[in-house]
Amino acid sequence: MVKFKLGSFLLLFILSMSVFAQKRDINWMLGDNGPNFNPSGGYGLIDLSFDETGIVIGDWVNDSTSHFSWLFNFTGIIMSSEAGEKLFYYNGFQIRDFENNIPLGGDSLNDPFVRQMFWGGHTTNNGLPLQQSSIALPIPAHDDEYIILTNTISQEYLNIGKVISDRIFKHRLKMTNDGLQIVHSNQTILDGDRLTPGGISAVRHANGRDWWLLFGRVAENLEY
């Protein structure tokens, strides 16, 4: 397992974090596309909200194949405010606010080769098919700003039949009165390594301020 302390390795965005509010992650959206909206068959989009007692709301979005022309295959980032208000969601390729608007530059995230391979000219975009490929974190030192870290798939290794990631991208976002704004996107923060596809997580450092970013590394024999 590879570990990097964000406070020392990723100097571009040292995260001076206060204690996380408990409602940042209470909203989930899950589901990918199928021939027709069919909850019993597992097709469509479901919107979940949680509190201390469990699921409060669990509704199928019955216009998911039209209103949401892209869904969540494996990658799904849903960010909420400290009060639990939905802010934005991301599926590895695109980001939208909760009025379903795409900010400028928000429709072309991640590697162009990977977007073309899994999305291409298809009407419906189910997102990046990697489990736990992305993570979002708020930046308390900058009001209403967030980062998303996401990895991708190496074309070089894919050509020999191996699904391996070689890069991690960073997207920086800001919520404004006019909606969601992308400060910068597709900024490479790690390049040229052999990383497991997906599996990104973050753990708070004992100093209560910095974060460790954790992800797997593929062995020399290309075994996970």
Side-chain angles (χ1 to χ4, degrees), residues 29-33 45 68-77 89-96 106-107 109-111 113-120 122-134 150-153:
M29 294 177 73
L30 308 169
D32 64 355
N33 186 40
L45 187 70
F68 291 89
S69 58
W70 64 278
L71 303 168
F72 306 96
N73 194 336
F74 289 95
T75 299
I77 294 295
Y89 41 77
Y90 168 71
N91 72 350
F93 293 151
Q94 287 188 345
I95 189 165
R96 300 191 182 197
D107 60 347
L109 303 181
N110 214 308
D111 183 85
F113 163 75
V114 176
R115 292 200 313 269
Q116 178 64 30
M117 178 171 58
F118 291 108
W119 182 10
H122 302 296
T123 302
T124 301
N125 165 17
N126 284 328
L128 183 63
L130 295 179
Q131 295 178 340
Q132 205 175 333
S133 69
S134 306
T150 187
N151 66 8
T152 187
I153 298 174

Side-chain angles (χ1 to χ4, degrees), residues 22-28 48-58 83-84:
Q22 296 301 312
K23 295 186 178 181
R24 289 285 190 187
D25 59 353
I26 68 168
N27 298 297
W28 293 19
L48 305 175
S49 295
F50 296 81
D51 69 5
E52 295 82 0
T53 64
I55 297 177
V56 178
I57 301 173

Side-chain angles (χ1 to χ4, degrees), residues 11-42:
L11 297 179
L12 291 177
F13 55 98
I14 295 176
L15 303 179
S16 299
M17 306 291 285
S18 61
V19 176
F20 255 137
Q22 296 301 312
K23 295 186 178 181
R24 289 285 190 187
D25 59 353
I26 68 168
N27 298 297
W28 293 19
M29 294 177 73
L30 308 169
D32 64 355
N33 186 40
N36 299 289
F37 173 72
N38 181 10
S40 63

Side-chain angles (χ1 to χ4, degrees), residues 1-2 128-134 150-154 157 162-168 190 193-201 214-220 222-224:
M1 180 67 72
V2 181
L128 183 63
L130 295 179
Q131 295 178 340
Q132 205 175 333
S133 69
S134 306
T150 187
N151 66 8
T152 187
I153 298 174
S154 167
Y157 288 107
K162 294 289 184 179
V163 181
I164 292 174
S165 175
D166 61 350
R167 277 173 293 167
I168 293 181
L190 185 62
D193 209 337
R194 301 185 312 275
L195 310 176
T196 55
I200 295 178
S201 59
L214 294 92
F215 47 88
R217 189 171 187 271
V218 178
E220 296 292 335
L222 301 184
E223 294 297 327
Y224 297 129

